[in-house]
């Protein structure tokens, strides 16, 4: 039941983020998050997802309109 409660808490507490902090993410944390995301399920369990980490501020600004 603990796992079910943990999942319920994760699902019900999620929210859309409209603004992010400017300070960089620790590389170890970033790598752990990417590893977790790699295991997320997808259609037919193919996991065709690719991740791109962008740290350059000019490039982030150029990508912003495309992502919207």
């Amino acid at each position: 039941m603990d796992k079910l409660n943990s999942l319920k808490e994760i699902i019900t507490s999620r929210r859309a983020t409209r603004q992010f902090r400017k300070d960089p993410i620790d590389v170890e944390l970033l790598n752990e998050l990417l590893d977790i995301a790699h295991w997320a399920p997808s259609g037919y369990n193919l996991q065709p997802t690719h991740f791109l980490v962008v740290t350059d501020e000019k490039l982030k600004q150029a990508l912003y309109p495309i992502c919207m």
Side-chain angles (χ1 to χ4, degrees):
M1 202 60 157
D2 285 339
K3 288 183 181 183
L4 183 58
N5 287 332
S6 295
L7 178 60
K8 181 180 179 183
E9 183 180 338
I10 290 168
I11 291 171
T12 59
S13 66
R14 80 173 196 82
R15 61 177 190 232
T17 303
R18 290 178 172 65
Q19 190 172 12
F20 296 91
R21 293 169 44 173
K22 295 283 184 185
D23 50 322
I25 297 174
D26 178 66
V27 174
E28 287 181 25
L29 175 60
L30 178 61
N31 288 333
E32 188 173 349
L33 291 170
L34 290 169
D35 185 54
I36 292 167
H38 166 77
W39 289 100
S42 65
Y44 299 101
N45 206 29
L46 295 175
Q47 279 82 356
T49 307
H50 295 77
F51 300 97
L52 179 66
V53 178
V54 179
T55 57
D56 180 82
E57 194 59 39
K58 279 188 169 184
L59 186 51
K60 286 183 192 180
Q61 294 300 319
L63 290 171
Y64 180 79
I66 300 167
C67 295
M68 299 305 286

